[in-house]
Amino acid sequence: MIIYWLKQMKVASIIDNNLASPHGNRKGLSYGELAVLLLTYIVSEADHRICCLERWVKEHQRSLEGITGWEIQEKEGTDDRCGDLLRTLGITESIDQIEISLSKHLVKAYKLPTQRARSDTTSFSVYHHITEDGEEESLIKFGYSKDKRPNLRQYRQMLATLDPLGMPLLGATLAGNGGDESEYLPTWRKMTEIIGHKEFLYLADSKASTWSNRALIHREGGIYCFPLAMTQPRPKLLADWVKNPPTEVIKIIEQDERESEPSLMGNGFEVPLGNIWVEPETEKIYQWQERWLVIKSNALASRQIKGLDSRLAKGEKALFSLEKRPGKDEKLLEQKIQEILKSYRLTKYIEYSIEKKISYKKVYKGCGSRSEDSSYRRVRQTNLILNYQRLSTEIESFKIVAGWRLYVTNATSERLSLTEAVQAYKQQWQPEMGFHRFKKGRLSALPIYFRDEEKIKGLMFLLTIALRVFTLMEFVVRRQLHQCKSSLARLYEGNPKRATNRPTAEKMLRAFNNITLYIHKDDSIEISGLNLLQQQILRLMNVEECIYTTDYFASG
């Protein structure tokens, strides 16, 4: 099944057309054919260790030769050959052209919808140690960690995907300490080449919303919709607009296919604004019109308010414990208070003061009983008193703007309504699904065993191809199920009656685990028959059942 999809995607031929041939003394498979073997191993075994490929190829040599039609030697899968493949992919300047050619073919061959595309980045934390000599040019660096591991070095991975399947159009492995802002414009330009037009809606996170990105995308004929980064003075502007909307506020209704009745997502309004950007190099001025979308999500507002109430309760509990035992050191007490407020993000919502109460205690000299004439001395004592209270005005101001976000788009209201913009950005999880598969799923890149950074780039490139296989399988099957208004059952162990119209590639591939190739003593072969579930999946994939027959096996 995996090799069939890789053949349909023309992975081997596209790689071979863009890579130089292996060393002249090396006989056997081309880089593209070896990439197919390695990808098949990664997907089927959920393991990217190239040292294991040789043993796996040896165990499945007869099957692999029959399916592919290639002559596969025992040493085709050695870690040296795989390492050469990954390094060549990592250092070649043609890797962008390979991705563009591959994605162009898939968009055309499967008639994929091209109305929306999006991009995002994530970080991969590793335990690598870099020498001082190689620190500057290294890919592995300290940076902002989305894995919440700031103590580890990392590299970043960018994914640009196509709605609604989340199929990667592009991928790039980037240095761990860089900013994402400069990546969005080149990514958009490459996506226009793949998709073949500029009329698609480009979505990304707030780091894409720089003035230069928006100006240049608009100048070159693109359409974008980004959330705005909440840097000053935007928070104040948002608060003023929410309190006194300059235009009519409308309700945002969502119609979920699974719900019979539409639900109220929130409300919002839009403000048309003109923008000016000056290109630094040429000092040329660009002017264009945008719509600033001011949108409230009721669900987000509820979560934010509950979150603040929870943080206030926990922060006040910690301050109460500190109030009972403030200690004697004022600087230490101040430090502990700041740590609590910072930990619970309450600096704006709780104010405090530290009072000093001075008293004098009698300390008698000598031992024995005391009388009025006993001599004593007075010792000065300083007691610290912690006072704190909620800032009601700030808390109320937070609750007023809770759930509200600013978005910006250059699309007309006919091209992208307020409700459509909200629904489009709600799908921003699509690249995150790919990142999840890269980190914890069947296509996991972690842990990284390579020290060679070119091999890391080559591995991530192959993993994006494997992700294309998964997302393409899911798209084709789900489209068929949607057209037939049916669902697929018997995918879930222990609950065979459970049906779904959104099966995952992992579940569907697992359904083919029990197919066996029998080799008889006379060297004839026999393949076990397909069950009903396997036959149904093949029909939904538009794949002929003959790929699991001896005739297909013999012909490759």
Side-chain angles (χ1 to χ4, degrees):
M1 176 66 73
I2 299 163
I3 292 175
Y4 173 84
W5 279 95
L6 291 172
K7 281 185 175 182
Q8 296 297 108
M9 293 165 62
K10 298 185 178 179
V11 171
S13 60
I14 290 175
I15 290 178
D16 287 336
N17 289 340
N18 290 276
L19 287 187
S21 301
H23 190 278
N25 293 332
R26 177 166 291 177
K27 305 299 181 182
L29 300 182
S30 66
Y31 279 140
E33 293 167 342
L34 182 56
V36 168
L37 285 190
L38 183 53
L39 280 166
T40 306
Y41 171 75
I42 290 173
V43 174
S44 61
E45 301 296 321
D47 184 6
H48 66 264
R49 294 176 298 166
I50 60 176
C51 61
C52 300
L53 181 65
E54 183 179 3
R55 173 188 53 80
W56 181 81
V57 169
K58 186 176 181 180
E59 292 175 353
H60 299 85
Q61 184 177 359
R62 179 72 178 269
S63 299
L64 292 171
E65 286 185 334
I67 296 167
T68 61
W70 305 331
E71 183 180 350
I72 301 175
Q73 305 296 329
E74 288 187 6
K75 296 297 182 180
E76 292 288 4
T78 61
D79 54 355
D80 286 341
R81 294 201 174 190
C82 292
D84 286 346
L85 168 65
L86 296 182
R87 190 180 297 107
T88 303
L89 288 171
I91 64 175
T92 181
E93 296 178 356
S94 303
I95 195 167
D96 286 344
Q97 189 55 47
I98 294 174
E99 286 208 301
I100 290 172
S101 299
L102 184 60
S103 296
K104 271 185 175 180
H105 166 66
L106 296 181
V107 169
K108 184 177 180 179
Y110 289 92
K111 298 179 181 179
L112 303 180
T114 58
Q115 288 79 31
R116 292 177 187 170
R118 59 187 81 228
S119 65
D120 201 357
T121 61
T122 192
S123 58
F124 288 80
S125 299
V126 296
Y127 292 87
H128 291 46
H129 295 284
I130 309 297
T131 61
E132 292 184 4
D133 296 339
E135 176 72 31
E136 180 135 358
E137 298 180 357
S138 175
L139 184 76
I140 312 297
K141 295 187 177 182
F142 289 108
Y144 175 73
S145 175
K146 296 186 179 181
D147 297 327
K148 299 182 180 179
R149 293 298 304 269
N151 59 315
L152 295 179
R153 295 178 184 271
Q154 64 180 20
Y155 65 91
R156 293 176 297 133
Q157 183 70 24
M158 182 275 294
L159 271 184
T161 63
L162 193 64
D163 282 17
L165 58 159
M167 188 195 78
L169 294 179
L170 288 168
T173 306
L174 311 168
N177 66 338
D180 298 340
E181 293 83 356
S182 61
E183 301 297 330
Y184 291 100
L185 180 62
T187 298
W188 174 80
R189 287 170 174 162
K190 292 175 185 175
M191 293 170 79
T192 61
E193 182 179 353
I194 293 170
I195 294 174
H197 62 82
K198 299 179 181 179
E199 299 301 316
F200 64 92
L201 178 65
Y202 183 41
L203 300 122
D205 59 21
S206 60
K207 294 187 287 296
S209 66
T210 61
W211 292 104
S212 59
N213 283 342
R214 288 149 53 195
L216 292 173
I217 291 174
H218 179 81
R219 185 189 72 176
E220 296 177 24
I223 304 172
Y224 59 80
C225 181
F226 304 139
L228 281 168
M230 294 307 287
T231 55
Q232 292 297 341
R234 289 170 185 161
K236 185 179 183 306
L237 180 65
L238 175 62
D240 292 342
W241 279 352
V242 169
K243 292 173 185 175
N244 299 291
T247 57
E248 180 187 2
V249 180
I250 65 171
K251 294 181 179 180
I252 299 174
I253 307 296
E254 179 183 33
Q255 180 64 62
D256 194 328
E257 295 179 357
R258 294 167 292 185
E259 302 288 340
S260 57
E261 296 293 330
S263 59
L264 178 65
M265 287 177 56
N267 44 46
F269 55 92
E270 59 182 75
V271 181
L273 290 176
N275 276 332
I276 298 177
W277 178 70
V278 180
E279 190 170 15
E281 292 80 8
T282 62
E283 296 187 355
K284 188 175 181 180
I285 297 175
Y286 295 98
Q287 297 183 3
W288 76 103
Q289 291 293 321
E290 287 184 323
R291 295 158 58 213
W292 285 42
L293 313 178
V294 190
I295 297 167
K296 179 183 181 181
S297 165
N298 292 337
L300 178 60
S302 176
R303 290 197 304 270
Q304 289 180 341
I305 292 172
K306 286 181 180 178
L308 177 59
D309 290 340
S310 175
R311 298 199 315 272
L312 284 168
K314 292 176 181 177
E316 287 176 333
K317 183 178 179 180
L319 290 173
F320 179 71
S321 299
L322 202 58
E323 180 186 11
K324 293 192 293 185
R325 294 190 178 95
K328 303 293 183 181
D329 189 331
E330 183 178 359
K331 288 185 178 180
L332 182 59
L333 178 60
E334 177 89 21
Q335 180 182 345
K336 290 181 178 179
I337 295 169
Q338 290 291 342
E339 287 175 355
I340 291 172
L341 297 181
K342 184 179 179 181
S343 175
Y344 292 105
R345 308 196 306 278
L346 297 174
T347 306
K348 290 174 56 179
Y349 307 111
I350 289 181
E351 65 175 355
Y352 67 92
S353 62
I354 300 174
E355 295 181 15
K356 292 182 180 179
K357 185 176 181 180
I358 299 175
S359 60
Y360 293 90
K361 181 180 179 182
K362 289 181 179 181
V363 177
Y364 288 92
K365 297 179 180 179
C367 302
S369 59
R370 310 288 188 244
S371 67
E372 292 181 1
D373 298 329
S374 299
S375 61
Y376 63 88
R377 59 187 175 88
R378 291 186 179 273
V379 178
R380 176 173 173 170
Q381 290 185 331
T382 302
N383 295 318
L384 300 178
I385 301 174
L386 170 61
N387 299 307
Y388 59 90
Q389 64 177 5
R390 296 186 180 187
L391 293 172
S392 302
T393 304
E394 292 291 336
I395 293 172
E396 287 304 314
S397 297
F398 172 84
K399 291 183 177 180
I400 289 173
V401 299
W404 287 91
R405 286 291 308 269
L406 280 174
Y407 297 81
V408 64
T409 181
N410 65 337
T412 63
S413 56
E414 292 79 14
R415 173 68 173 81
L416 186 70
S417 68
L418 198 65
T419 301
E420 288 171 340
V422 175
Q423 292 172 342
Y425 198 76
K426 277 188 68 178
Q427 304 299 313
Q428 190 62 18
W429 52 264
Q430 291 181 20
E432 295 292 341
M433 286 296 294
F435 294 145
H436 174 77
R437 278 170 162 157
F438 284 165
K439 291 184 176 182
K440 296 181 179 179
R442 195 162 185 85
L443 305 179
S444 178
L446 298 175
I448 290 288
Y449 299 102
F450 304 124
R451 297 292 174 182
D452 190 326
E453 294 178 7
E454 280 73 26
K455 289 183 180 180
I456 295 176
K457 291 181 181 179
L459 173 65
M460 296 308 301
F461 169 74
L462 288 184
L463 289 178
T464 59
I465 294 180
L467 183 59
R468 285 180 175 90
V469 175
F470 276 33
T471 52
L472 199 58
M473 280 183 184
E474 292 171 349
F475 173 73
V476 171
V477 170
R478 292 173 185 180
R479 180 168 62 180
Q480 287 286 93
L481 289 172
H482 179 72
Q483 291 174 353
C484 301
K485 296 182 180 180
S486 61
S487 57
L488 191 60
R490 302 187 300 277
L491 286 177
Y492 298 89
E493 295 180 6
N495 190 2
K497 293 184 179 179
R498 179 181 173 182
T500 178
N501 60 358
R502 294 181 60 81
T504 64
E506 290 88 344
K507 291 286 186 186
M508 290 187 288
L509 286 173
R510 192 177 296 127
F512 288 83
N513 275 350
N514 60 346
I515 296 179
T516 306
L517 171 69
Y518 298 96
I519 303 175
H520 300 294
K521 290 182 179 180
D522 60 357
D523 209 34
S524 62
I525 59 173
E526 181 182 352
I527 299 174
S528 58
L530 300 175
N531 60 36
L532 293 177
L533 175 60
Q534 292 162 349
Q535 293 172 5
Q536 185 181 5
I537 293 174
L538 289 174
R539 285 195 299 271
L540 291 169
M541 289 182 175
N542 294 322
V543 177
E544 295 291 337
E545 293 184 22
C546 67
I547 70 167
Y548 285 104
T549 62
T550 54
D551 292 339
Y552 183 89
F553 182 87
S555 65

